[in-house]
Amino acid sequence: MTVPSRLRTALLILCAILCTASTPAQPSPAPTSYRVPAEKLPTYVGAYRFDDSPYYPLSISLIDGKLFAESQRMPRQELAPSAPDTFVPASGSHPFILKFTLSADGKISGLTRIAPDKSTHPAQKVDSEPQTFIKPEFARQEVMIPVRDGIKLHAIILVPKDATAALPILMQRTPYGVDESTSDSVNSRFPELVHDHYIFVFEDIRGRYESEGTFVMSRAMVDHTNPKLVDESTDTYDTVAWLVKNIPNNNGRVGVFGISYPGFLAQAAGIDPHPAVKAISPQAPMIDVWMGDDFFHNGAFRQTYGHDYTLGMESSKENAFGKLDEDAYDFFLKAGSFAAAAKQTGVDKLPTGIGFLKNPAYDDFWRSRGVEWHLDKVAVPTLLVGGFWDQEDMYGPQEAYALLEPHDSNRENFLVLGPWNHGQWGGSSNHLGDIYFGEATTDDYRVRYEAPFFNRYLHDQGSFTLRDTATFETGSNKWKQYSHWPPPEAKSENLYLFPDGALGFADPARAMLPPMTGAQVAAMTGNTNKNYTEYVSDPANPIPYRHRPIQATYAEGSHWYTWMVEDQRTLLAGRHDFASWSSKVLEHDVTIAGDVIADLFASTSGTDADWVVKLIDEYPATPATTTSPLGDQPTADTTPSYQLIINAEIFRGRYRTSFDHPSAIPANQIEEYKWSLHAADHTFIKGHKIVVQVQSTWFPLYDRNPQTFVPNIMVAAPSDFHPATQRIYANSHLILPVLP
Ligand code: PG9
């Protein structure tokens, strides 16, 4: 196990580091003895705008004969040459390579920034003058804040030195450490909020880093009428009371925001809030780690995440995320069960590890940790934010919005959904993995929604014009606004999975897809000899959820952040243990906006089964028109077709009638399984195909279902695992929210 620095791990978890924002502490590529003639240095000077994050150009300046790089989101750093027209930071903790590009006349026309993960980010030279930046200085104070049970919580307070009026407070509470909060870090992480003038507060939660007390993972909510009990809401309440009393010149208003665990803490801040809390923004909050966030989805156990996160958070008071010495696929397959894997690494002795092993079903252990049971009023204006490809907490923001919406008589419950992975909107990017969206949607979000939201509720200023929901419609790549989510204008359409591998809407008159054949109609009505599609699922050879090798979740170079957009065509190539249905080539665009529901009628020859349903956009093969970003390596002749997951979710069959009382599935009997694949706002473009896949393993992210009912899958013995024949019957369908 390696223990990375706390900032690095926190940022890895938030994922913002993948972009041009602050980057993790890593050794910089060593500058060499390469020299650039002094007269050449001025040719590099200027402002460079990145294709994938145009909001924040990089500035190259020459000061006292030395070259420096700086952006609004990156502190100024001296550059050292490492090869012709190539520079690296002379020192420090922000590693990158800058390779300048030349136009035909030999002049510097742009550069490519090569990140530590080897991703390349081309930029055009847009000005021959360097840009200047406004980066306010903050006075930094470190405090211990007493809460109601006598415990003291550690916090950093940053007050703008140039403040001329009383300012509101913006607070983040976190389990990931706050010591590295400085003027530089807020200028890098929150440029739009810094611009709008806030006092920033960062607090270590109970039991983490320098705060006293005991850390409890997703601490359960207590009865707030009992003044002796504490939870994350009461700790926030007491902290806010202390802050508004003790920070000079604050305006008595507090906003709480954060992504993921800090998002859960922001959500908790809005439950029985202190009166000074005037706005919260829970971003990718986990609100129920069993139902649909980090640790289980519909009862299927997310063993790699549960394992790695528990080890990272509970084996030390500080982050201790590690790496595995082998492919996680091999490690968990060889171990056989989660109990056996956890025993090898010591996770079986940690509180949450014990929780997994003893409480596989949705009992009080998990229910008490569900914030969702407390979301029965919009106590303060709330901006929920989520990503369509959030690999950790996709359920939380969507479900929290849906639970609050019926109580939103003042219209203060807002939702923004974008084309992002977990927390990606904190950085600057116009793409996720290989999928490009045409604009820096991350910066769009912060500039158009996040900053105006806090400006309105904490400063009474600016124009926050969001009526209710903003989403980025993928495929067509444009921002949309709706009066409610899911949009009332979308109509539910059943998309049937026919036994001959075709997909079709029930009503051919809609002509959204080419009309059904007679055989398809016969299959749908059961008037055929074979009205099902079948495959054999073998737990001894489970389908990988991403291309191998599979690194530990937050290990160096891990592909965890983009697995949801990996090409399903190459991932499943050569396999026969799944079923697939495809539309014909679309004759016109089909747009869906709302929740996608799977409604399977299925049987298994075993007595338990997992069902994974994926709704896929199949891009056609296209001739290559581009060269690589470095401009010196031509790409292949054609881009092969690409299968992009739009929605995907798992359901563990034993929970089909109850999440707290699992039961065996009667072998070879048709049962109905119905569950949500969550939100999409996506256009399947004319010329593409709609594809649906069903499979029964998604490994090692999800533990293997033995396919024979056992009381506790966590401790299943090798002899419990059996291949099973799975049948998907013709009346199975997806319910799609189709926009007219
Ligand atoms: N997804 C992380 C997490 C949150 C809450 C519980 C468990 C894990 C996180 O990124 O903070």
Side-chain angles (χ1 to χ4, degrees):
M1 293 284 163
T2 55
V3 182
S5 90
R6 70 178 68 167
L7 175 65
R8 171 153 187 269
T9 309
L11 290 175
L12 275 168
I13 291 166
L14 297 180
C15 201
I17 49 94
L18 292 179
C19 318
T20 54
S22 48
T23 45
Q26 278 188 351
S28 289
T32 63
S33 53
Y34 188 82
R35 294 269 170 271
V36 178
E39 63 277 14
K40 188 153 187 216
L41 290 177
T43 64
Y44 299 111
V45 169
Y48 295 79
R49 177 166 294 138
F50 287 97
D51 297 353
D52 60 2
S53 64
Y55 278 72
Y56 295 110
L58 183 75
S59 193
I60 305 290
S61 53
L62 187 61
I63 304 168
D64 296 336
K66 291 178 181 157
L67 223 45
F68 291 86
E70 182 178 8
S71 81
Q72 187 68 46
R73 305 201 70 181
M74 187 183 80
R76 182 181 293 173
Q77 296 190 71
E78 187 185 338
L79 296 176
S82 60
D85 297 319
T86 306
F87 294 79
V88 295
S91 63
S93 60
H94 286 73
F96 55 76
I97 298 170
L98 293 183
K99 194 170 175 349
F100 287 87
T101 46
L102 278 66
S103 56
D105 60 3
K107 294 215 170 95
I108 302 289
S109 58
L111 58 79
T112 296
R113 174 180 175 275
I114 304 168
D117 66 358
K118 301 206 171 43
S119 60
T120 52
H121 306 270
Q124 309 306 318
K125 191 170 187 177
V126 289
D127 200 329
S128 53
E129 290 298 315
Q131 192 166 331
T132 51
F133 301 100
I134 299 169
K135 297 186 182 179
E137 276 292 311
F138 289 78
R140 187 178 189 277
Q141 194 191 350
E142 197 163 351
V143 293
M144 294 299 288
I145 300 176
V147 294
R148 63 190 68 183
D149 63 348
I151 288 296
K152 291 200 180 70
L153 302 180
H154 172 247
I156 305 291
I157 301 172
L158 295 169
V159 180
K161 286 187 177 165
D162 59 0
T164 52
L167 293 180
I169 296 169
L170 261 183
M171 173 162 74
Q172 275 201 5
R173 307 185 65 245
T174 177
Y176 301 129
V178 299
D179 260 356
E180 293 173 40
S181 305
T182 59
S183 290
D184 271 356
S185 75
V186 286
N187 275 300
S188 294
R189 293 178 66 196
F190 313 116
E192 303 83 11
L193 298 172
V194 167
H195 171 270
D196 288 346
H197 303 289
Y198 295 97
I199 296 163
F200 288 93
V201 175
F202 301 93
E203 182 174 63
D204 287 327
I205 61 170
R206 186 177 282 263
R208 293 290 292 169
Y209 285 89
E210 286 151 75
S211 279
E212 299 172 357
T214 308
F215 171 65
V216 177
M217 182 92 78
S218 23
R219 186 182 277 275
M221 209 60 74
V222 297
D223 173 4
H224 292 158
T225 60
N226 183 338
K228 293 213 167 75
L229 300 179
V230 295
D231 61 20
E232 299 299 355
S233 286
T234 66
D235 281 351
T236 311
Y237 190 107
D238 297 348
T239 299
V240 169
W242 189 93
L243 293 174
V244 291
K245 192 161 157 224
N246 289 283
I247 301 182
N249 231 5
N250 74 83
N251 77 354
R253 295 186 189 191
V254 179
V256 186
F257 72 126
I259 299 175
S260 199
Y261 208 118
F264 151 73
L265 298 165
Q267 190 81 65
I271 297 171
D272 298 329
H274 187 282
V277 176
K278 299 295 183 202
I280 59 169
S281 182
Q283 310 185 0
M286 88 288 187
I287 68 160
D288 195 318
V289 289
W290 194 95
M291 279 302 170
D293 289 324
D294 296 277
F295 298 145
F296 296 79
H297 281 200
N298 297 312
F301 177 51
R302 290 161 63 91
Q303 69 174 347
T304 48
Y305 197 81
H307 177 273
D308 295 358
Y309 195 78
T310 302
L311 205 55
M313 297 295 284
E314 292 182 346
S315 54
S316 158
K317 219 182 160 194
E318 305 195 349
N319 297 339
F321 295 92
K323 66 181 181 70
L324 268 177
D325 294 328
E326 62 181 317
D327 184 338
Y329 185 101
D330 292 329
F331 174 74
F332 284 99
L333 193 59
K334 270 192 266 166
S337 68
F338 178 68
K343 193 165 178 207
Q344 287 181 40
T345 58
V347 167
D348 64 333
K349 305 276 181 316
L350 300 173
T352 302
I354 295 167
F356 295 144
L357 294 167
K358 284 202 176 149
N359 306 276
Y362 194 60
D363 58 13
D364 278 347
F365 181 85
W366 299 113
R367 176 178 280 272
S368 64
R369 287 162 168 72
V371 185
E372 60 179 317
W373 308 115
H374 305 272
L375 298 181
D376 53 7
K377 72 164 89 80
V378 186
V380 291
T382 301
L383 174 67
L384 286 148
V385 183
F388 288 125
W389 288 285
D390 188 323
Q391 75 282 8
E392 295 172 30
D393 300 302
M394 183 188 295
Y395 174 85
Q398 297 181 22
E399 191 66 10
Y401 165 86
L403 290 164
L404 291 174
E405 192 65 353
H407 310 284
D408 189 27
S409 43
N410 292 337
R411 302 213 62 120
E412 291 177 332
N413 181 37
F414 304 99
L415 177 66
V416 179
L417 296 175
W420 307 311
N421 67 13
H422 190 56
Q424 193 185 357
W425 52 90
S428 287
S429 178
N430 67 348
H431 69 105
L432 178 57
D434 289 335
I435 313 302
Y436 282 76
F437 305 110
E439 56 186 296
T441 58
T442 50
D443 307 56
D444 290 346
Y445 151 72
R446 294 192 313 275
V447 169
R448 293 183 199 168
Y449 302 117
E450 184 186 75
F453 170 77
F454 284 121
N455 212 3
R456 165 161 162 195
Y457 290 109
L458 301 181
H459 278 294
D460 284 333
Q461 280 176 15
S463 56
F464 176 63
T465 52
L466 183 59
R467 266 175 76 203
D468 188 283
T469 297
T471 63
F472 189 80
E473 187 179 277
T474 51
S476 58
N477 292 343
K478 54 186 185 221
W479 282 101
K480 302 277 281 276
Q481 289 207 6
Y482 300 103
S483 59
H484 175 73
W485 185 264
E489 53 271 40
K491 296 282 167 282
S492 295
E493 297 274 343
N494 289 352
L495 182 71
Y496 285 93
L497 317 181
F498 296 115
D500 63 356
L503 281 177
F505 286 111
D507 178 4
R510 285 192 57 84
M512 299 299 293
L513 296 175
M516 284 181 280
T517 63
Q520 289 165 353
V521 175
M524 197 185 127
T525 55
N527 184 17
T528 172
N529 290 333
K530 182 174 177 281
N531 63 344
Y532 56 81
T533 308
E534 78 176 15
Y535 59 90
V536 175
S537 174
D538 184 358
N541 179 23
I543 298 177
Y545 76 101
R546 72 188 216 220
H547 291 80
R548 297 177 63 189
I550 296 172
Q551 308 82 6
T553 308
Y554 296 125
E556 189 92 41
S558 169
H559 292 178
W560 170 247
Y561 310 97
T562 48
W563 73 263
M564 293 197 75
V565 294
E566 284 188 14
D567 184 0
Q568 301 301 298
R569 190 185 56 86
T570 53
L571 185 66
L572 273 68
R575 300 195 70 110
H576 303 287
D577 48 354
F578 69 102
S580 186
W581 295 263
S582 173
S583 73
K584 292 188 184 148
V585 173
L586 295 178
E587 289 163 4
H588 48 81
D589 295 355
V590 176
T591 299
I592 56 172
D595 292 340
V596 174
I597 308 291
D599 195 0
L600 285 197
F601 294 86
S603 70
T604 174
S605 62
T607 50
D608 196 359
D610 286 351
W611 306 105
V612 178
V613 174
K614 303 185 285 189
L615 172 66
I616 287 168
D617 183 343
E618 185 174 301
Y619 287 51
T622 51
T625 52
T626 52
T627 51
S628 85
L630 286 174
D632 52 9
Q633 296 163 9
T635 55
D637 289 344
T638 60
T639 307
S641 67
Y642 194 99
Q643 291 188 337
L644 171 69
I645 289 181
I646 303 303
N647 298 76
E649 189 52 286
I650 191 168
F651 192 94
R652 185 149 280 181
R654 58 173 43 213
Y655 295 111
R656 70 204 174 287
T657 54
S658 151
F659 282 131
D660 41 358
H661 291 103
S663 60
I665 302 173
N668 299 314
Q669 188 169 303
I670 303 175
E671 301 274 306
E672 183 179 10
Y673 304 89
K674 192 171 180 181
W675 71 104
S676 174
L677 311 188
H678 314 294
D681 191 348
H682 182 74
T683 298
F684 296 87
I685 304 278
K686 177 182 168 189
H688 290 211
K689 289 180 183 169
I690 300 177
V691 169
V692 174
Q693 292 173 354
V694 178
Q695 61 196 53
S696 292
T697 49
W698 223 11
F699 187 77
L701 174 57
Y702 290 92
D703 62 344
R704 295 171 309 145
N705 190 321
Q707 305 189 155
T708 305
F709 185 84
V710 293
N712 183 352
I713 292 179
M714 304 276 175
V715 297
S719 57
D720 294 327
F721 291 81
H722 297 290
T725 301
Q726 322 289 44
R727 289 182 177 172
I728 313 296
Y729 287 81
N731 46 348
S732 298
H733 55 275
L734 264 55
I735 306 173
L736 297 187
V738 180
L739 280 185

